[in-house]
């Protein structure tokens, strides 16, 4: 055997590029990947009022902190012309970066490549970044702008969605998961956002539906536009699928960043605390004028929330859906809290199917991520009616009851005015485990209002009276004085204290500080069977 020395080896082989040349080649390739498939495709994206995937990522993360995973990935499918089209990234940009200095993972569909449609390689990239998020214990954000499963790849693409759904469920209540719909999200693709904790949408450019307008028309004869079927306002006001709707992508992503600042990295951590310049002992004397003593008069409970929380700032979830209850994230003395408040300005603050479901989901989310709950109660009961009963108000109301009973975070109830019937119990009463129940000195806690109660209890006496109206008025006042005076519940230990409304903020802050180390052992079970 002949052994060649280094010189003879060099003489008998073609010259190979050195490391500098290979590095330059890599830089050119990366530049091409970052630019995307073509200027024409980029212009088409912008002509629809949409940013590119990388522009969205730049808005989401702190400047210069994004690290991409698998930018050079390409699909290996063949047939239907796919073997001739193998762009890098395969239509999805994945990686991690910092949001307010904290690690967050992301995947962003690139509509310029295969319309953002999901194929095998595309799905595997999402699986990988979701697995990394799970390993690192950090939130994951999906920037959705895709045409669904890649038809040319058949069942392989559908299996890719299955892997995403499995990871959504596995990380539910473990990592904050946020979906931002910035384009089409149709068919099976819509189920991943539905499994996440928060859904954001952009008006005019984003839609979500299981079957599109053409299929709907073919099957049912109904004619409807893409926006009319599954646009941002539809899901933010009618279906409740989306918690937030925005006019543009920039403001949408700004609020995604803000929401992330209120959430912990995972379920093993507390939400981030920030120093507050709003004094913890600040009185809220304005509350004495904001809330009328007359239980039948309306007011906007958001003004109450603004008066109590730090600097009047709160982030409302589902602001335009089921508006008879307000659910919001805010801070008290710099610590994040979740607020559930009946809204007397809408339907007198009554609980119905939609509001029960909205509040239940919010309570469960807060409990999963160690966010204490403050419930501001002013509720006349559950909404009566055939539609409500046939629509399942019993099981939907039970969802809220289940969520509160199941919650182990610090819980404080503040009864501002009225709290009647089963709705009083459901709104985190002492009997279902709230840690502290406080009440204002105009509170009325009873099975029902005095007028209704008198009609039932004294019906025969009123009917037999020579002056039924006068007798009825007397009995209403008697019932109110005996069973609905502000100290009745406190005398029986069902309210811990009756407080000056102006002291609500300092009392809440002191109570939450006391409860910060709360720990509740849980029974051994696979999981509960939540009402559906």
């Amino acid at each position: 055997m002949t052994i060649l020395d280094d010189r003879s080896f060099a003489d008998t082989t073609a010259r190979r590029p050195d490391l500098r040349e290979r590095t330059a080649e890599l830089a050119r390739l990366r530049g091409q990947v970052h630019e995307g498939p073509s200027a024409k495709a980029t212009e088409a994206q912008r002509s629809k009022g949409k940013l590119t995937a990388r522009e969205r990522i730049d808005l989401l993360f702190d400047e210069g902190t994004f690290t991409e995973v698998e930018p050079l990935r390409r699909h290996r499918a063949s047939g239907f012309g796919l073997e001739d089209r193998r762009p890098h990234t395969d239509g999805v940009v994945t990686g991690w970066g910092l949001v307010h200095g904290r690690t967050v993972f992301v995947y962003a569909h690139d509509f310029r490549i295969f319309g953002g449609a999901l194929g095998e390689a595309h799905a595997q990239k999402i699986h990988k970044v979701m697995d990394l998020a799970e390993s690192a214990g950090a939130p994951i954000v999906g920037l959705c702008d895709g045409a669904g499963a890649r038809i040319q790849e058949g069942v392989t693409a559908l299996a890719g969605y299955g892997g995403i759904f499995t990871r959504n469920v596995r990380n539910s209540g473990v990592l904050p998961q946020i979906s931002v719909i910035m384009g089409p999200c149709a068919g099976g693709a819509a189920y991943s956002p539905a499994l996440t904790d928060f859904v954001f949408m952009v008006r005019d450019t984003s839609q979500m539906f299981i079957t599109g307008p053409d299929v709907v028309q073919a099957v049912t004869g109904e004619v409807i536009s893409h926006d009319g079927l599954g646009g941002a306002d539809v899901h933010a006001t009618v279906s409740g699928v989306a918690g937030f709707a925005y006019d543009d992508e920039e403001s949408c992503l700004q609020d995604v960043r803000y929401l992330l600042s209120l959430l912990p990295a995972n379920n093993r951590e507390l939400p981030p605390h920030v120093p507050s310049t709003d004094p913890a002992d600040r009185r809220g004397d304005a509350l004495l004028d904001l809330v009328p003593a007359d239980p039948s008069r309306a007011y906007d409970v958001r003004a109450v929330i603004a008066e109590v929380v730090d600097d009047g700032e709160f982030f409302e979830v589902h602001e335009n859906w089921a508006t008879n209850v307000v659910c919001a994230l805010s801070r008290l003395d710099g610590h994040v809290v979740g607020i559930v408040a009946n809204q007397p300005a809408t339907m007198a603050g009554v609980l119905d199917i939609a509001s029960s479901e909205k509040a239940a989901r919010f309570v469960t989310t807060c409990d999963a991520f160690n966010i204490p709950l403050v419930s501001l109660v002013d509720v006349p009961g559950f909404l009566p009616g055939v539609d409500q009963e046939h629509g399942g108000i019993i099981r939907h109301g039970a969802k809220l009851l289940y969520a509160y009973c199941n919650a182990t975070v610090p819980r404080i109830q503040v009864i501002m005015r009225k709290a009647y019937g089963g709705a009083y119990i459901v709104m985190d009463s002492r009997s279902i485990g709230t840690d502290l129940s406080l009440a204002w000195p105009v509170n009325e806690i009873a099975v029902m209002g005095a007028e209704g109660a008198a009609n039932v209890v004294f019906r025969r006496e009123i009917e037999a009276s020579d002056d039924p109206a006068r007798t009825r008025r007397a009995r209403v006042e008697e019932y109110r004085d005996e069973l609905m005076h502000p100290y009745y519940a406190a005398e029986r230990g069902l309210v811990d204290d009756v407080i000056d409304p102006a002291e609500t903020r300092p009392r809440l802050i002191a109570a939450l500080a006391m409860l910060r180390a709360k720990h509740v052992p849980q029974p051994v079970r696979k999981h509960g069977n939540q009402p559906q």
Side-chain angles (χ1 to χ4, degrees):
M1 185 174 81
T2 303
I3 301 176
L4 299 175
D5 60 21
D6 290 342
R7 180 181 301 174
S8 60
F9 179 79
D11 291 340
T12 58
T13 58
R15 177 184 176 277
R16 294 183 179 180
D18 63 20
L19 186 56
R20 290 184 182 275
E21 291 171 321
R22 284 300 193 189
T23 302
E25 179 185 43
L26 173 62
R28 288 192 298 271
L29 179 57
R30 286 189 177 278
Q32 293 170 5
V33 171
H34 278 253
E35 288 176 10
S38 68
K40 182 179 179 181
T42 300
E43 180 57 34
Q45 177 81 349
R46 290 177 177 156
S47 69
K48 298 172 185 175
K50 301 195 295 183
L51 300 173
T52 67
R54 295 183 186 279
E55 288 170 338
R56 292 163 176 165
I57 286 172
D58 287 343
L59 288 173
L60 175 64
F61 290 115
D62 299 346
E63 186 175 357
T65 65
F66 177 62
T67 299
E68 189 169 353
V69 176
E70 294 194 353
L72 304 181
R73 186 71 182 265
R74 303 165 80 184
H75 73 75
R76 58 184 179 180
S78 60
F80 306 101
L82 281 180
E83 63 273 11
D84 300 322
R85 299 176 60 201
R86 300 181 64 235
H88 293 101
T89 74
D90 201 46
V92 63
V93 181
T94 58
W96 75 88
L98 302 180
V99 176
H100 300 298
R102 301 162 67 223
T103 300
V104 174
F105 288 79
V106 71
Y107 64 87
H109 300 298
D110 190 340
F111 194 82
R112 300 173 300 169
I113 299 175
F114 296 128
L118 181 139
E120 179 188 34
H122 183 122
Q124 288 174 350
K125 288 183 64 175
I126 296 176
H127 296 169
K128 176 175 284 189
V129 80
M130 294 179 81
D131 290 342
L132 284 172
E134 183 177 356
S135 297
I140 185 159
V141 177
L143 305 181
C144 305
D145 185 6
R150 196 173 298 169
I151 297 172
Q152 299 94 323
E153 296 195 31
V155 69
T156 307
L158 295 178
Y161 275 122
I164 294 172
F165 302 157
T166 298
R167 288 165 173 82
N168 285 141
V169 174
R170 189 169 70 223
N171 290 315
S172 179
V174 178
L175 309 176
Q177 300 181 75
I178 299 174
S179 297
V180 189
I181 314 303
M182 314 193 91
C185 185
Y191 283 113
S192 178
L195 291 169
T196 59
D197 301 303
F198 300 95
V199 177
F200 291 71
M201 294 188 73
V202 180
R203 295 184 179 93
D204 300 325
T205 59
S206 66
Q207 302 90 29
M208 294 177 68
F209 36 69
I210 299 302
T211 53
D214 293 342
V215 176
V216 169
Q217 183 176 357
V219 174
T220 70
E222 298 170 289
V223 179
I224 193 166
S225 67
H226 285 79
D227 265 349
L229 182 63
D233 285 325
V234 168
H235 287 309
T237 63
V238 180
S239 72
V241 171
F244 313 91
Y246 298 86
D247 291 329
D248 57 79
E249 296 187 7
E250 291 84 355
S251 59
C252 176
L253 290 168
Q254 190 65 32
D255 268 3
V256 173
R257 285 175 55 86
Y258 182 56
L259 174 60
L260 286 165
S261 76
L262 296 167
L263 300 174
N266 55 65
N267 67 336
R268 300 182 302 277
E269 297 183 7
L270 294 175
H273 170 263
V274 297
S276 175
T277 57
D278 194 345
D281 59 355
R282 172 176 60 79
R283 286 176 55 86
D285 291 299
L287 293 172
L288 300 171
D289 300 313
L290 285 173
V291 180
D294 182 351
S296 64
R297 288 183 58 193
Y299 63 93
D300 190 342
V301 77
R302 289 174 295 189
V304 175
I305 296 172
E307 181 63 27
V308 171
V309 301
D310 290 357
D311 303 310
E313 294 183 2
F314 59 93
F315 190 56
E316 190 170 351
V317 181
H318 286 296
E319 179 181 357
N320 298 310
W321 178 61
T323 55
N324 41 325
V325 68
V326 173
C327 298
L329 294 171
S330 189
R331 283 190 168 92
L332 284 168
D333 197 29
H335 294 276
V336 178
V337 295
I339 297 172
V340 180
N342 304 114
Q343 174 58 293
T346 302
M347 300 167 59
V350 69
L351 287 175
D352 62 355
I353 289 172
S355 60
S356 296
E357 189 167 327
K358 169 180 169 178
R361 173 71 171 178
F362 182 76
V363 168
T364 299
T365 301
C366 288
D367 185 52
F369 296 115
N370 306 314
I371 300 173
L373 288 161
V374 173
S375 301
L376 303 179
V377 182
D378 190 348
V379 61
F382 282 95
L383 180 65
V386 174
D387 288 345
Q388 289 290 306
E389 295 295 345
H390 288 186
I393 184 63
I394 294 173
R395 60 187 174 86
H396 287 284
K399 290 179 184 179
L400 181 54
L401 181 61
Y402 186 99
Y404 270 125
C405 289
N406 202 46
T408 61
V409 292
R411 293 154 49 188
I412 301 177
Q413 179 194 50
V414 179
I415 302 171
M416 299 181 295
R417 212 166 52 167
K418 58 188 178 294
Y420 297 156
Y424 153 68
I425 301 173
V426 169
M427 284 297 297
D428 206 18
S429 64
R430 278 295 303 275
S431 59
I432 66 169
T434 195
D435 295 295
L436 286 172
S437 178
L438 306 175
W440 289 1
V442 290
N443 78 84
E444 293 183 354
I445 307 173
V447 175
M448 62 180 68
E451 290 80 3
N455 288 338
V456 173
V457 176
F458 305 110
R459 178 176 58 84
R460 292 182 180 178
E461 179 182 349
I462 292 171
E463 291 175 350
S465 172
D466 294 335
D467 190 345
R470 181 178 179 181
T471 302
R472 182 177 181 278
R473 285 195 300 271
R475 293 310 183 207
V476 166
E477 290 305 314
E478 179 185 351
Y479 185 87
R480 181 176 286 118
D481 292 343
E482 290 292 326
L483 297 178
M484 295 179 64
H485 64 80
Y487 309 104
Y488 185 83
E491 290 170 358
R492 285 153 180 80
L494 297 174
V495 165
D496 291 293
D497 199 5
V498 179
I499 66 171
D500 176 353
E503 291 293 320
T504 302
R505 172 180 166 82
R507 290 294 296 266
L508 286 174
I509 289 173
L512 290 170
M514 176 271 294
L515 290 166
R516 197 150 292 132
K518 176 185 175 182
H519 174 71
V520 179
Q522 291 295 288
V524 177
R525 60 181 177 182
K526 187 175 182 180
H527 56 72
N529 192 10
Q530 180 176 330
Q532 298 298 321

